[in-house]
Amino acid sequence: MSNINNGQQMTGPGNAEPGRKKPMSMGWGIGLSMGAVWFATHCGGGFATGNQEVNFYVKFGWYSVFLPIIAMILLGWGHRNALVLAKDHKAYNYKAYANVLYHPYEKQFGIIFEFGNLMLIACAVSTAIAGAGSLLQSTMGLNYGIGITSVGFVTLLLTIFGGGLIIKALNFKTYFLIPTLGLLAYLGIEAGALQWQNFIATKETFGTGFGEAVWLMLIYVGFQSFTAMPMLSAAQNIKTTKECNWFMFFGTLFNGVFLLLVCLMLLGFAPGSVKQTLPVYYVTTHLGIDWLKVLYSLILFVALLGSGVALTFAAVARFESVIKPEGMFESLRVRRIFVSFVTIAICTGISIFGLTNIVVKGYGSVGYIGLFFVLIPEIIVGTIKIRNNARKRKEMGIDEEAL
């Protein structure tokens, strides 16, 4: 078997034989499970505040009825190609994947890729702290500065002292967040039906142009393109390109429909919802269902806290080996505490600027990097490499469907 891409081996099923009859397997099960991973990654605490949806879609009026679907199709295409490349080259971490995608220019573009990934972590942790601080301000009247400081401190404690049980419990946040947000979307769409239907009928754009709306959609897809990274480590069970195609189908369906539903809900309460830091919470205050408002607030707070902890751990995993184990840093635990403290201190400082500024300017900056250095290369360069890999497998007599 020949080697390609700077010594990285293109792989295929070892037991495949030319002419062997293909099994009756569609591979949709793996595609469905991976699509669910993408869905859970996308629909986190930052998404659930509604701030992202408002600033990238809803503020453009009726364009938010169809642009979310187009965005998820483009993102699904990029993610699909990322998983195919990961499968072909067994590149199950972001560094190995970057080497595959950018070869033979991995040294030049790999730095930009990693910078964008680190920026996304910083923005995501800052969003979690700022979102939680804004929620405490809205629900309890707590001063925003005190709120973000308290959330940052709690996040640091959970990162340092949180046992496996606490971390696992926080990981279950998605199972509660998505149904709650789904129920809110259903009730909100129903309650605001006359409003969003009127916006669609009159093609109301709130004074914005179509070109600006499309550009912000592309920026959203750009920073979301980095969400392929967590899926790479979970992609080791993928064996065929067909499974990746099913992933694109299910993932695009789940994410596109859910994003559209939340946008419709918020459009039904526009223009008031567009001016809010926590647009979804704003909707809960107008539905008149107190228990649902309390439930959403509690789950959102836990989700934001969980996102902050998980992403801080990602920063720790990236930098704990960079610090030289000398002096006080000889202990691995000390190195981890130091990285956690620096990460949360920086992100708490960023959160002072407020959730909306982080979403618009922070994620917007990451979006430029993701659009031009991740999504476009995945769609153009990735497609070319995938076709070349498929051709080489065919020349070597490998039938990836014969498992």
Side-chain angles (χ1 to χ4, degrees):
M1 184 173 291
S2 61
N3 292 340
I4 61 175
N5 280 357
N6 198 24
Q8 293 189 355
Q9 193 176 60
M10 182 184 70
T11 61
N15 62 341
E17 299 175 3
R20 181 177 175 179
K21 187 177 180 180
K22 297 179 182 179
M24 297 297 290
S25 174
M26 297 298 292
W28 63 268
I30 294 293
L32 176 62
S33 64
M34 290 302 299
V37 171
W38 173 20
F39 183 54
T41 302
H42 182 200
C43 301
F47 178 95
T49 65
N51 198 292
Q52 292 179 14
E53 293 90 318
V54 158
N55 284 291
F56 289 95
Y57 298 104
V58 181
K59 73 177 184 181
F60 298 108
W62 84 283
Y63 296 145
S64 61
V65 174
F66 59 89
L67 287 182
I69 301 297
I70 297 174
M72 291 303 102
I73 291 174
L74 290 173
L75 186 59
W77 187 3
H79 280 1
R80 176 263 183 191
N81 281 5
L83 293 186
V84 175
L85 288 173
K87 166 187 70 72
D88 287 349
H89 301 277
K90 294 193 179 298
Y92 299 127
N93 62 71
Y94 80 93
K95 192 169 185 64
Y97 171 70
N99 288 340
V100 170
L101 179 63
Y102 298 120
H103 182 75
Y105 305 105
E106 57 267 38
K107 289 184 179 180
Q108 292 80 9
F109 290 105
I111 297 174
I112 300 174
F113 181 85
E114 178 151 0
F115 177 70
N117 203 41
L118 294 176
M119 278 188 65
L120 183 66
I121 291 176
C123 287
V125 176
S126 301
T127 295
I129 295 173
S134 296
L135 187 62
L136 291 174
Q137 185 180 40
S138 298
T139 57
M140 301 173 60
L142 189 66
N143 176 271
Y144 179 72
I146 296 175
I148 60 174
T149 302
S150 301
V151 172
F153 181 69
V154 172
T155 304
L156 179 62
L157 290 180
L158 289 174
T159 305
I160 296 174
F161 302 108
L165 183 61
I166 294 177
I167 304 306
K168 288 180 180 178
L170 289 173
N171 287 338
F172 278 99
K173 63 187 183 296
T174 303
Y175 298 106
F176 299 97
L177 179 63
I178 292 175
T180 303
L181 191 58
L183 176 61
L184 271 171
Y186 170 76
L187 296 174
I189 288 172
E190 190 176 60
L194 290 178
Q195 187 80 326
W196 61 260
Q197 288 173 0
N198 180 63
F199 284 141
I200 294 174
T202 59
K203 296 186 177 180
E204 176 63 57
T205 63
F206 303 141
T208 56
F210 181 65
E212 183 184 358
V214 171
W215 177 244
L216 264 292
M217 175 204 73
L218 291 174
I219 294 299
Y220 183 85
V221 175
F223 76 76
Q224 286 291 338
S225 65
F226 284 102
T227 61
M229 302 310 109
M231 284 181 277
L232 294 177
S233 60
Q236 299 188 42
N237 292 328
I238 292 179
K239 304 298 181 184
T240 70
T241 300
K242 183 174 287 186
E243 290 171 344
C244 297
N245 294 338
W246 278 112
F247 155 79
M248 179 179 175
F249 171 76
F250 286 118
T252 302
L253 179 65
F254 296 158
N255 288 280
V257 170
F258 203 61
L259 178 59
L260 174 61
L261 291 177
V262 175
C263 286
L264 273 180
M265 173 187 70
L266 296 174
L267 187 62
F269 289 84
S273 61
V274 176
K275 303 173 184 177
Q276 303 298 314
T277 301
L278 301 174
V280 175
Y281 177 79
Y282 172 81
V283 172
T284 66
T285 63
H286 285 72
L287 290 178
I289 307 175
D290 291 338
W291 67 266
L292 187 57
K293 180 173 71 173
V294 173
L295 178 64
Y296 166 77
S297 300
L298 179 61
I299 292 176
L300 177 61
F301 184 79
V302 173
L304 289 167
L305 200 61
S307 296
V309 171
L311 289 163
T312 301
F313 271 119
V316 171
R318 173 63 184 85
F319 289 105
E320 65 181 11
S321 60
V322 174
I323 302 174
K324 292 183 178 180
E326 299 176 352
M328 64 176 290
F329 294 116
E330 188 173 350
S331 168
L332 177 61
R333 181 173 179 79
V334 171
R335 295 200 299 273
R336 289 177 173 175
I337 292 174
F338 177 75
V339 175
S340 298
F341 177 80
V342 171
T343 300
I344 293 173
I346 292 174
C347 293
T348 302
I350 294 173
S351 66
I352 292 174
F353 296 101
L355 179 60
T356 299
N357 281 325
I358 296 170
V359 168
V360 174
K361 297 179 180 179
Y363 281 125
S365 299
V366 178
Y368 281 95
I369 298 174
L371 178 62
F372 292 107
F373 295 99
V374 181
L375 184 71
I376 292 177
E378 282 178 343
I379 291 177
I380 298 177
V381 179
T383 298
I384 294 171
K385 291 189 174 186
I386 288 167
R387 288 179 177 175
N388 287 339
N389 292 343
R391 175 179 54 80
K392 290 182 179 182
R393 281 195 298 270
K394 186 175 181 180
E395 290 173 354
M396 290 185 287
I398 297 175
D399 182 1
E400 68 172 14
E401 297 299 323
L403 299 177

